[in-house]
Amino acid sequence: MAVREFPSALCRLATRPTRPAVTSTISRSCRRYASEEATSKQEVSSDLRELESSSSISSVGFSPLGVEGYDPVKRAQGRRRELPPSRFQYRPPKYYRGPLHPHQPPPKSDPSSREFVPGPFSYTRLEQTYQSTIAPDLMVMTYAHKPPGTPKPERAPRLREWDDSSPYHKGRPKRGPRGPGSVLRLIERDINWRNIPKIEAITVHSFIKGAIESSAHLHVGGMMLQAITGVRPVVHRARQSVQQFGIRTNMAISLTCEMRGDQAYDFLDKCVNLVWPRMKDWNGVEGSTGDGSGNLGFGFDREGAILFPEVEVNYDMYPPKMIPGFHVTVKTTANSDRHARLLLSAMGVPFHGKLVDW
């Protein structure tokens, strides 16, 4: 059947009247090619003449006289007044006027802030070890797998309620825990990638007993602490007089230095690798140290303070009988003493004795 209809279709095509190829011309003219415009411009229909043949972003030619006659210095001098610098440069407020003030200073990490400190350009040796090794190890060692949907265990209430035996009990706040400590301790939380313990600050404190008799002991202790920590010490004065010890009100008796960031890691690195290995008959930091909130402490006597390299290299500058000892408090972001000991043990701090978790 298809073979019979094939000759008839050929006959219809042969007898079809020829029409001018208008559509092909229009379709060709609707398309614009860069090569065709570069070689020769074809005739465009009247419907397409309203379209722009060139882009509005293309550069406009300038006359050479206008370019040579343009003088920016003369134009700037012809202004009646200078442009205000605040239009081009942001200046943060000089004083902080509270969180509700409309003009808020930028964060310290912003280069336009007055308190911006560039860096860190490099990590210290101990901090680099923490970032690369200690932090991942702590997260793996203390990992506690809890599938989704695991119910949380019920815990006893931390605050005691009143038994309503008296009408005055209504509306009273709950009582604190039993015992001498009336302050609630932090609850130990599982370590994950959001709250890996790290060193926040290290505080060095020294009570200068000889400052009661002579202020020279205070000056020697201040120079020694500043050389060891790299921080200028803060002088503390007595709030009230104690007659038994000869302390009078407003007498300078102690010094404090607080280290953060690289200085804190450098100080702990010196203690672990330079000072403690040379101390005689020293077993380590006591395992019972800590305040239950992740802050641990230890101390150095006069013989231990002399072993610091900053004091040892200039030993003649410090009179031996005026060199004081000092206490060190390591503040961490951990919520318990157990996690803080794990952090310091990984950094090389030795502990001895019974480990006590408050």
Side-chain angles (χ1 to χ4, degrees), residues 45-352:
S45 61
S46 60
D47 299 335
L48 303 177
R49 288 176 183 174
E50 297 180 358
L51 299 178
E52 296 181 0
S53 59
S54 59
S55 174
S56 59
I57 310 177
S58 59
S59 61
V60 183
F62 295 96
S63 61
L65 297 177
V67 174
E68 294 178 359
Y70 177 73
D71 189 1
V73 178
K74 185 178 180 180
R75 183 181 178 184
Q77 293 176 352
R79 293 197 189 103
R80 295 182 179 178
R81 62 182 182 85
E82 295 184 357
L83 295 176
S86 60
R87 185 178 299 181
F88 305 100
Q89 181 181 5
Y90 170 73
R91 294 185 178 181
K94 189 173 183 180
Y95 304 103
Y96 178 66
R97 296 180 173 86
L100 301 180
H101 198 268
H103 301 288
Q104 293 291 324
K108 296 182 181 179
S109 58
D110 193 344
S112 62
S113 173
R114 295 178 181 269
E115 300 178 357
F116 173 73
V117 178
F121 301 104
S122 62
Y123 290 109
T124 59
R125 190 178 70 92
L126 186 59
E127 189 174 3
Q128 189 174 7
T129 305
Y130 170 81
Q131 298 287 352
S132 61
T133 307
I134 297 176
D137 289 350
L138 287 177
M139 190 168 56
V140 172
M141 290 169 56
T142 59
Y143 174 72
H145 181 65
K146 294 182 179 179
T150 304
K152 296 183 179 180
E154 296 183 1
R155 296 179 178 177
R158 305 181 70 191
L159 297 176
R160 297 179 296 159
E161 297 183 355
W162 297 92
D163 55 358
D164 294 337
S165 60
S166 173
Y168 297 101
H169 290 173
K170 293 184 179 180
R172 278 189 180 182
K174 296 181 179 180
R175 292 177 289 181
R178 296 182 184 274
S182 60
V183 180
L184 291 176
R185 306 222 177 247
L186 297 177
I187 299 176
E188 181 179 298
R189 298 180 180 179
D190 296 333
I191 295 178
N192 52 34
W193 60 274
R194 291 186 183 91
N195 59 351
I196 302 177
K198 62 180 180 180
I199 294 178
E200 187 176 5
I202 294 180
T203 304
V204 176
H205 174 75
S206 177
F207 176 81
I208 314 295
K209 186 178 179 180
I212 300 175
E213 301 175 357
S214 173
S215 62
H217 292 78
L218 195 71
H219 295 309
V220 172
M223 290 189 297
M224 188 199 70
L225 291 184
Q226 185 171 357
I228 292 176
T229 61
V231 179
R232 186 168 183 173
V234 179
V235 181
H236 299 281
R237 299 179 179 274
R239 296 182 180 178
Q240 57 185 4
S241 58
V242 181
Q243 188 176 2
Q244 293 82 357
F245 301 105
I247 299 176
R248 298 184 301 274
T249 306
N250 204 24
M251 177 185 290
I253 52 175
S254 65
L255 303 169
T256 300
C257 298
E258 187 177 21
M259 297 167 286
R260 294 179 179 270
D262 295 346
Q263 292 177 330
Y265 284 97
D266 283 337
F267 178 81
L268 189 61
D269 195 7
K270 285 187 294 186
C271 294
V272 172
N273 297 305
L274 299 179
V275 181
W276 285 334
R278 300 173 57 188
M279 293 179 64
K280 297 179 181 180
D281 300 332
W282 185 75
N283 299 324
V285 180
E286 294 185 4
S288 60
T289 181
D291 61 348
S293 301
N295 303 323
L296 307 181
F298 49 88
F300 293 93
D301 54 1
R302 180 179 300 176
E303 287 73 17
I306 294 173
L307 297 177
F308 277 87
E310 293 85 359
V311 180
E312 195 174 13
V313 72
N314 290 326
Y315 181 72
D316 297 337
M317 190 175 68
Y318 308 99
K321 294 183 180 181
M322 292 186 179
I323 296 178
F326 52 87
H327 301 279
V328 180
T329 303
V330 182
K331 303 177 183 178
T332 65
T333 58
N335 294 323
S336 64
D337 294 343
R338 186 174 69 91
H339 289 170
R341 278 197 301 269
L342 285 175
L343 173 63
L344 296 186
S345 297
M347 292 183 175
V349 178
F351 290 91
H352 78 97

Side-chain angles (χ1 to χ4, degrees), residues 17-35:
T18 58
R19 296 179 182 179
V22 180
T23 57
S24 62
T25 325
I26 294 175
S27 62
R28 290 175 185 174
S29 61
C30 289
R31 299 178 181 177
R32 297 170 59 191
Y33 299 97
S35 58

